Amino acid sequence: MSYVDHLLLQYAGEIGFISLGIGKTITSKYSIAALYGIVPAEISKGPHIETFTFKQTYQFTSNDVFNIYSGINVFHVTGVRYTTSKSGKYPNDYYEWGSIRGILYLGALWNLEKKGRTSFYLESGVNDISIVNYATNSQHIDPAGLFTLAIGYRYQFD
Amino acid sequence: MSVVFLAQCKFNVSPYAVDVPKLLLNSRNLASIQNNEQNDSDDFKIALTADIHNYYQELSDLVERINGDSYRFTIVAGDITNLGLKEEVETTNSFLYRLKSPFLVAIGNHDLLANGRIIYSRVYGSENFSFEYKDVLFVFVNNNNWETSGKAPDLKWIKNVLSNSGATRKILVMHVPPDDPARYKEEEINEWAVMIDREQVDYVINGHNHSPVDHPCGNAHCITVGAPSKRFFYELEVTTSGVKHRKIRF
């Protein structure tokens, strides 16, 4: 049994300009993956940004060519100054939010050939802060503006 | 319908990206304030608020309340975000843009988190700046000492600006109360108090604590304007005979 059975390459989705990862299919519907994403300084217009993401996916359908899925990405951005005193002068736990963030997303996966190894996907997601802001200010926030997109490529080894 | 929805979404590469346009809103709005100074009446009112964070419902109501009165401009004494993120600044600005009169924003401790300092500098401009309007000196200061790498507050600069001004009235604007014992040592608090009295500052405006409160501080008045969530804002009324303040429920 292999620990890794697929490769992911993703653009955007808040986890990097480009993210590369490896994943494991746990059941026919559930899979996990770990990705490393970067945003070069030229793209971020500021510091170089590195992101580590744990991706979870639950697939609702089981078709040969086109499938719908949902999932949660939990990600950490390195070097962001938040709660710990080692990255700032303030006391521990001064700030409620940390550098661990989340995105809830819905995706669509297209297999390039029936039961083939290569697929493309498109995801639309909303991050944790946007969810909280909308939940507390629903009359004043346009929900359409909260969603972000990702496109990616998946290669199944086995 | 799904195509219409997708068309409104964006490919965001990171919530911590700082790809914001260089708006320099404080400079632009200041130019608008001073543009017609000679023709403006000498008596005017300013609206004061702070700590917007994500109190957008209350901010919307506050904007409506401010627009219903004739304020020359509005001062936001910092913490327009929770995490110093681009999306937060854009959301807060979408409400502030609805103000009929100009607004000026000081930097708060939350605005300095993550890459917030870069975003503030591009969207609003300098963290420390001063200007005179109708014989009143306004001095905006970054005094978020924990979150700023480098000197904050820059007391030497502040003393220089205050002592070199010939303005009759002087108003300091910052985010953290200068007598906050959690952040400042006793000698730092004393240094502020001595400076405020020696330079004959009239008002010290700050945010940080969300409950509004005002009290005399030496010969000046100190106002913690509070967050919109408390449903209060402050008004400063400047006339030829002096400056007075009022706490207003909205």
Side-chain angles (χ1 to χ4, degrees), chain B:
Chain B
M1 189 165 145
S2 55
V3 172
V4 171
F5 169 77
L6 285 174
Q8 297 181 71
C9 301
K10 297 168 285 190
F11 286 97
N12 281 346
V13 298
S14 174
Y16 301 99
V18 293
D19 51 332
V20 293
K22 199 169 182 181
L23 298 174
L24 302 178
L25 285 176
N26 281 344
S27 296
R28 269 175 40 183
N29 290 340
L30 186 51
S32 176
I33 291 166
Q34 292 176 317
N35 196 38
N36 207 32
E37 183 174 354
Q38 280 188 334
N39 297 327
D40 289 341
S41 71
D42 291 342
D43 296 350
F44 63 96
K45 297 192 299 187
I46 306 166
L48 307 173
T49 188
D51 295 278
I52 306 301
H53 294 289
N54 62 339
Y55 301 123
Y56 302 129
Q57 165 84 51
E58 293 86 346
L59 177 60
S60 178
D61 294 341
L62 177 58
V63 165
E64 198 178 322
R65 172 62 181 82
I66 290 172
N67 283 343
D69 206 328
S70 52
Y71 291 103
R72 195 65 52 86
F73 54 93
T74 297
I75 290 175
V76 185
D79 272 5
I80 54 165
T81 69
N82 275 322
L83 295 172
L85 301 177
K86 176 181 79 164
E87 67 179 279
E88 297 178 302
V89 170
E90 289 170 348
T91 304
T92 295
N93 273 351
S94 71
F95 291 91
L96 296 179
Y97 285 149
R98 297 180 203 170
L99 286 165
K100 289 180 184 170
S101 52
F103 60 89
L104 298 169
V105 177
I107 193 165
N109 57 304
H110 282 257
D111 307 326
L112 283 157
L113 297 178
N115 294 319
R117 196 175 195 184
I118 299 173
I119 294 172
Y120 180 92
S121 72
R122 290 181 187 164
V123 175
Y124 299 106
S126 297
E127 297 160 14
N128 299 299
F129 66 97
S130 65
F131 66 96
E132 289 189 16
Y133 177 79
K134 291 291 182 187
D135 201 23
V136 181
L137 173 72
F138 294 88
V139 186
F140 281 63
V141 170
N142 171 12
N143 72 337
N144 304 286
N145 56 340
W146 286 350
E147 293 77 9
T148 303
S149 55
K151 204 163 179 55
D154 186 347
L155 277 178
K156 190 174 170 189
W157 175 83
I158 299 167
K159 283 176 196 170
N160 233 18
V161 171
L162 289 170
S163 56
N164 288 336
S165 170
T168 305
R169 310 286 169 204
K170 295 175 183 174
I171 297 174
L172 290 177
V173 180
M174 62 202 70
H175 179 63
V176 179
D179 56 358
D180 186 337
R183 285 183 172 247
Y184 302 113
K185 300 176 200 161
E186 198 179 324
E187 54 265 31
E188 290 172 314
I189 293 173
N190 289 339
E191 196 177 359
W192 265 110
V194 165
M195 179 185 70
I196 285 166
D197 274 352
R198 188 182 61 235
E199 301 300 337
Q200 296 178 302
V201 172
D202 294 86
Y203 276 88
V204 179
I205 311 298
N206 63 260
H208 196 57
N209 299 322
H210 288 193
S211 296
V213 66
D214 60 88
H215 57 86
C217 43
N219 295 324
H221 287 278
C222 284
I223 302 178
T224 295
V225 297
S229 55
K230 301 297 183 186
R231 292 281 174 178
F232 282 97
F233 73 105
Y234 272 86
E235 168 189 288
L236 279 187
E237 186 176 0
V238 179
T239 66
T240 47
S241 51
V243 187
K244 55 185 181 183
H245 63 276
R246 196 159 67 109
K247 182 175 157 185
I248 303 172
R249 183 185 289 276
F250 69 91

Side-chain angles (χ1 to χ4, degrees), chain A:
Chain A
M1 186 179 82
S2 58
Y3 292 107
V4 172
D5 62 19
H6 62 271
L7 191 78
L8 294 173
L9 185 67
Q10 179 169 311
Y11 165 70
E14 303 206 34
I15 62 170
F17 175 74
I18 195 84
S19 304
L20 184 64
I22 50 176
K24 170 72 180 164
T25 307
I26 307 296
T27 69
S28 61
K29 291 195 180 296
Y30 179 67
S31 63
I32 59 174
L35 295 98
Y36 170 73
I38 59 165
V39 183
E42 297 78 17
I43 305 290
S44 82
K45 303 297 182 192
H48 176 89
I49 300 172
E50 291 183 318
T51 307
F52 292 89
T53 302
F54 174 61
K55 187 179 187 76
Q56 302 179 79
T57 300
Y58 183 81
Q59 190 166 297
F60 299 120
T61 55
S62 303
N63 302 311
D64 289 340
V65 177
F66 178 79
N67 288 290
I68 302 291
Y69 62 92
S70 182
I72 294 175
N73 286 339
V74 178
F75 65 96
H76 164 70
V77 176
T78 62
V80 168
R81 300 192 306 141
Y82 275 123
T83 56
T84 56
S85 58
K86 63 184 173 186
S87 42
K89 305 166 200 166
Y90 32 86
N92 282 336
D93 301 325
Y94 185 77
Y95 291 101
E96 290 174 359
W97 290 89
S99 63
I100 306 293
R101 301 282 309 277
I103 295 173
L104 179 66
Y105 61 87
L106 192 63
L109 184 79
W110 286 271
N111 293 323
L112 290 190
E113 61 267 355
K114 258 195 205 178
K115 293 184 182 174
R117 290 172 180 254
T118 57
S119 314
F120 281 98
Y121 61 87
L122 173 69
E123 294 174 357
S124 179
V126 57
N127 69 49
D128 45 357
I129 288 175
S130 295
I131 292 172
V132 168
N133 284 345
Y134 183 73
T136 53
N137 297 279
S138 57
Q139 286 183 2
H140 297 278
I141 300 225
D142 178 9
L146 303 177
F147 288 84
T148 59
L149 296 175
I151 53 172
Y153 169 78
R154 175 183 166 128
Y155 180 79
Q156 189 79 25
F157 299 141
D158 307 318

